[in-house]
Amino acid sequence: MAEARYDPTRIEPKWQAVWAKERTWEVRNEDVEPDRKSYVLEMLPYPSGEPHIGHLKVYSVGDANAHFLRRRGRQVLHPMGYDAFGLPAENHAIRTGVHPRESTDSSIAAFQRQMRSWGISIDWTREFGTHEPRYYRWTQWIFLELYERGLAYRKEAAVKWCPNDQTVLANEQVIDGHCERCGHGVEVRQLEQWFFRITDYADRLLDDLDAIAWPEHVKTMQRNWIGRSEGAEVTFSCGSLGVDYPVFTTRPDTLFGATFFVIAPEHPDVMRLAAGTGQEDEVLSYVNHALTESAEERGSAEAPKTGVFLGRTVTNPVNGEEIPMYVADYVLMEYGTGAIMAVPGHDARDFAFAEAHDLPIRRVVSSPQGEELPYPGDGPLVGSHPDFDGLHNREALDRIVEWLDREGRGHATVSYRLRDWLLSRQRYWGCPIPVVHCERCGVVPVPRAELPVELPDVSDYAPRGRSPLAAAEDWVNTTCPECAGPARRETDTMDTFVDSSWYFLRYCDAQNDEAAWDPAVLDRWMNVDQYIGGVEHAILHLMYARFFCKALADSGLQGAEEPFAALFTQGMVLGPDSQKMSKSRGNVVSPAPYVERFGADTARTYICFMGPPDQDAAWSDESVEGVHRFLARLHRLALDVAELSDDAAPAAPEGADLALLRKAHWAIEKVTQDLDGRFAFNTAIAAIMELVNDSYRLREDAGPGARRFAAATAASLVFPFAPHLGSEAYERLTGARVWEEPWPEADPALLEADSYELVCQVNGKVRDRVQVPSDAPREELEELARAAPRIAALLAGASVRKAIVVPGRLVNFVV
RNA sequence: GCGGCGGUGGCGAAACCGGUAAACGCGACGGCCUCAAAAGCCGUUGUCCGCAAGGGCUUGCGGGUUCGAGUCCCGCCCGCCGCACCA
């Protein structure tokens, strides 16, 4: 055995230097052939400190995919950038006074250094940070495009406010009533804010999910988030006040069971309704209490159903009945119309409220199994109206809606859970919103030629309920582009999700200083063929990016309706204790020390081997060493075999040569199938391990030609996971550069053996195994199985009722 | 509560279409090499009974379909993730 040690610290920098010098992974837009392109993209990192183990995982997974596709003849676009605006850098600045740009840039430098040491095959000519003016200039440009189409708008709204971060939050950034960033309880405030009209796209965002190859659970989460409900809007009138109140219901079939009516505490008419009824004081104190409650206190379905009588009634449009009006916090202002008809017989919440307030409960749908009320299921209508009683409720539903429509008291409609995207933030470290406020002209967009509106430097980053930018007086005071009079710049910045909603478009044409992109160039690369990232972005980022693409497609600015044709969500790397990594648990594993000690190839291959990449998996130091052992074994094998005579693989192999060549072709076939869209990296690597094991096992008996082919094949197959070692070993064995070689193809003749082991069962239990010729017909297989010694013994005094023959697998005798 | 995913050796896992359960790796045990150790190489390793030959049992639990079920169907239990007073 050769004695040269496997030394990644020598091998890895050597090949990285070759790739950098030769610009191996760069692709030129001019050279792209549309039917050969593959756009492989991992979610861009948020640069904070050093890269962590999760980054190593996404980029190892993505790089394996990129390498495989290149060697299958694809022109692969595989770029990298940084999602560089955001709160952590700003909070750091508030603590330390260090400019967020400075800490962000030093983190980016750490990412660049480490990702290069990992040998990831990136086209670095397309790199950018979203905080660079040459990028956010175009973020602002897109904002103006959307503004002019009415898709970006300003309105005062009840918004979620984080008192700790002193900023508003998007609905999506509120988790269980708490700020996604800092965990502080969220309050509701009335503020004027900027929104994107994503709700206009609700149906398309929903329908187009069917056309993309995404994991089912991600699609489900998006569907739930959009929350489309079909139902009807029905008008109840308050005669004493002369006002109509529409409600949304998914169950117009239960209208005859409505025994009271409820509006949300935030409803603008609450006090007007209570006025003069003697209920004012009670209502006022209830509303005040409800509005100061935290989202969490108010949020739970288990919370007791509180509420107060408003002193008035409304008329049920289907039967003219006067039913009492209540204000109660279980009704939400932001969904539907902020008012509901309450049907306690068939809705659990209304039932709870009715019981607590002693209101009538009426059954209008009979339950086939005799279930008690509240009964939310289907069944024939009862106690409603002679025209509808006896009809199945789903049919009655349609008929009732038709009737309402004819009478002008309601109509079929659709309601969504999805809200418009609140994009303004009262924070410093973000992309400035490119508008000015003029006393005379109102909101005026900054002319395109004046973009970017650059983020000015300030000395105090702490938010004080307004953006820190407001303190930059020289910057804020400007002139109106329309009337040239005095104007003030918008001081809010954009949510960082805006920056990351289009970065994949910019990669296609990253050097373009004349436009955000050349549409012809975008047409060549888009859409992203394979997107890779964590499930934590299943809703926010992935929904926003889809919305942007659709909105930009509608403006004719680009052609991709869907940004990401296929999505792969990788699982988390857990700590050695199988717990989520966290500083407080002290179980954080950093990539750098492992890369230093074992090499990037070992770290990358281990990460791909530790389990199916879409599942969570715990880090294990022992297993890392096992993978390192495997790579060292392959390295040693290559050195040994390289010293043998330079024979070609035998054309008519026999014995050990045949066995080894078969194993090599089996491995080619297995790895190819595992990598081809399956991301089954763990089993692909296992197959290469088997090939290496057999190469050792047969090293005394197989000839140099077969041994060289087997070793070179192992090097070639391992390349997507361990590119440096793959290149090194392959070069030693063949003199060629593995990344310039096409992906190997299995020879079908060597995939078939001329005999196989036939399993012989009696009553479904394996009793014997015999070697049989591959081409044996069924009758012969049955005879051979009968003749197997242990089978013959068992069948001896028994009568065979049936024999099942599965060629290629088994024979089963039923006795 | 609703939706999704999962439960297989001591551990990470494999079994892609209903056809040999446990590939590959870790760990453990044994052997070779060595003055010795490390490294390396070669074995054994689901579990129970048995000296062995061999046999029984085994994919969270209980049923079912089938010649045959980890895989399909029905009913449970447990874990993780998402949503959750959305009318």
Side-chain angles (χ1 to χ4, degrees), chain A residues 51 55-56 59 114-120 591 595 600 604 724:
Chain A
H55 293 115
L56 181 62
Y59 301 119
Q114 287 208 32
M115 287 195 283
R116 277 175 173 80
S117 81
W118 299 346
I120 307 287
V595 171
R604 293 176 55 169
H724 314 87

Side-chain angles (χ1 to χ4, degrees), chain A residues 247-324:
Chain A
V247 300
F248 175 75
T249 176
T250 54
R251 294 294 302 277
D253 53 315
T254 63
L255 258 167
F256 291 92
T259 56
F260 57 105
F261 188 96
V262 190
I263 66 174
E266 295 86 354
H267 199 287
D269 285 3
V270 173
M271 289 321 297
R272 192 174 151 207
L273 282 160
T277 63
Q279 288 292 104
E280 293 105 316
D281 293 348
E282 210 184 330
V283 169
L284 185 64
S285 88
Y286 180 77
V287 168
N288 282 340
H289 174 71
L291 294 186
T292 52
E293 255 182 336
S294 75
E296 196 184 21
E297 287 168 312
R298 182 168 160 186
S300 157
E302 287 85 50
K305 296 284 174 288
T306 60
V308 176
F309 179 49
L310 279 168
R312 291 187 191 264
T313 60
V314 281
T315 315
N316 184 339
V318 292
N319 57 11
E321 209 174 322
E322 289 296 318
I323 56 175

Side-chain angles (χ1 to χ4, degrees), chain A residues 653-680:
Chain A
E654 294 180 344
D657 279 359
L658 181 61
L660 189 52
L661 290 177
R662 273 198 181 130
K663 190 69 183 185
H665 285 272
W666 167 85
I668 291 170
E669 184 66 13
K670 172 76 179 150
V671 174
T672 305
Q673 284 185 5
D674 283 352
L675 297 198
D676 194 8
R678 280 194 66 205
F679 287 86

Side-chain angles (χ1 to χ4, degrees), chain A residues 162-416:
Chain A
C162 173
N164 183 50
D165 286 342
Q166 294 272 304
T167 184
V168 297
L169 300 168
N171 274 1
E172 288 83 345
Q173 287 164 327
V174 181
I175 311 293
D176 287 335
H178 292 265
C179 172
E180 175 196 56
R181 284 277 175 209
C182 69
H184 201 282
V186 164
E187 296 171 1
V188 173
R189 290 200 179 180
Q190 285 287 329
L191 291 170
E192 189 155 332
Q193 298 291 334
W194 284 96
F195 292 87
F196 282 135
R197 212 176 288 282
I198 191 172
T199 51
D200 273 12
Y201 287 80
D203 275 325
R204 280 162 70 188
L205 288 167
L206 193 63
D207 294 343
D208 291 353
L209 284 172
D210 295 336
I212 49 183
W214 286 20
E216 210 42 54
H217 66 280
V218 175
K219 291 191 188 183
T220 305
M221 280 194 239
Q222 293 221 342
R223 287 189 189 108
N224 291 345
W225 192 262
I226 295 167
R228 184 189 151 101
S229 299
E230 295 190 19
E233 195 167 284
V234 184
T235 305
F236 287 67
S237 346
C238 177
S240 58
L241 203 63
V243 180
D244 284 350
Y245 289 103
V247 300
F248 175 75
T249 176
T250 54
R251 294 294 302 277
D253 53 315
T254 63
L255 258 167
F256 291 92
T259 56
F260 57 105
F261 188 96
V262 190
I263 66 174
E266 295 86 354
H267 199 287
D269 285 3
V270 173
M271 289 321 297
R272 192 174 151 207
L273 282 160
T277 63
Q279 288 292 104
E280 293 105 316
D281 293 348
E282 210 184 330
V283 169
L284 185 64
S285 88
Y286 180 77
V287 168
N288 282 340
H289 174 71
L291 294 186
T292 52
E293 255 182 336
S294 75
E296 196 184 21
E297 287 168 312
R298 182 168 160 186
S300 157
E302 287 85 50
K305 296 284 174 288
T306 60
V308 176
F309 179 49
L310 279 168
R312 291 187 191 264
T313 60
V314 281
T315 315
N316 184 339
V318 292
N319 57 11
E321 209 174 322
E322 289 296 318
I323 56 175
M325 296 182 88
Y326 283 78
V327 55
D329 68 359
Y330 81 94
V331 174
L332 310 175
M333 191 60 217
E334 62 263 27
Y335 186 76
T337 62
I340 62 155
M341 65 175 205
V343 184
H346 304 282
D347 179 279
R349 297 155 300 180
D350 298 343
F351 184 86
F353 190 87
E355 288 220 302
H357 297 83
D358 224 3
L359 291 157
I361 298 164
R362 195 180 293 162
R363 177 186 280 276
V364 290
V365 178
S366 64
S367 39
Q369 316 291 321
E371 290 93 338
E372 290 181 0
L373 299 183
Y375 172 65
D378 292 332
L381 242 57
V382 293
S384 294
H385 184 276
D387 287 357
F388 305 117
D389 280 344
L391 285 178
H392 188 265
N393 67 307
R394 292 289 146 188
E395 197 195 337
L397 189 154
D398 294 337
R399 301 268 289 270
I400 289 172
V401 172
E402 279 167 32
W403 180 87
L404 285 167
D405 215 352
R406 272 201 308 278
E407 298 289 318
R409 299 180 192 190
H411 55 90
T413 187
V414 176
S415 191
Y416 301 90

Side-chain angles (χ1 to χ4, degrees), chain A residues 71 601 630-631 634-635 637-639 664 667-668 671 688-689 691-692 695 707-734 736-739 741 743-744:
Chain A
R71 290 187 55 205
D601 283 341
F630 156 65
L631 294 180
L634 172 53
H635 176 73
L637 177 72
L639 293 187
I668 291 170
V671 174
I688 307 169
M689 287 173 169
L691 174 57
V692 170
S695 295
R707 291 183 62 194
R708 191 177 290 268
F709 180 82
T713 298
S716 175
L717 296 177
V718 90
F719 171 77
F721 310 106
H724 314 87
L725 173 66
S727 302
E728 177 79 12
Y730 197 82
E731 192 192 51
R732 286 205 181 239
L733 290 160
T734 67
R737 299 167 137 193
V738 68
W739 67 87
E741 298 282 306
W743 188 253

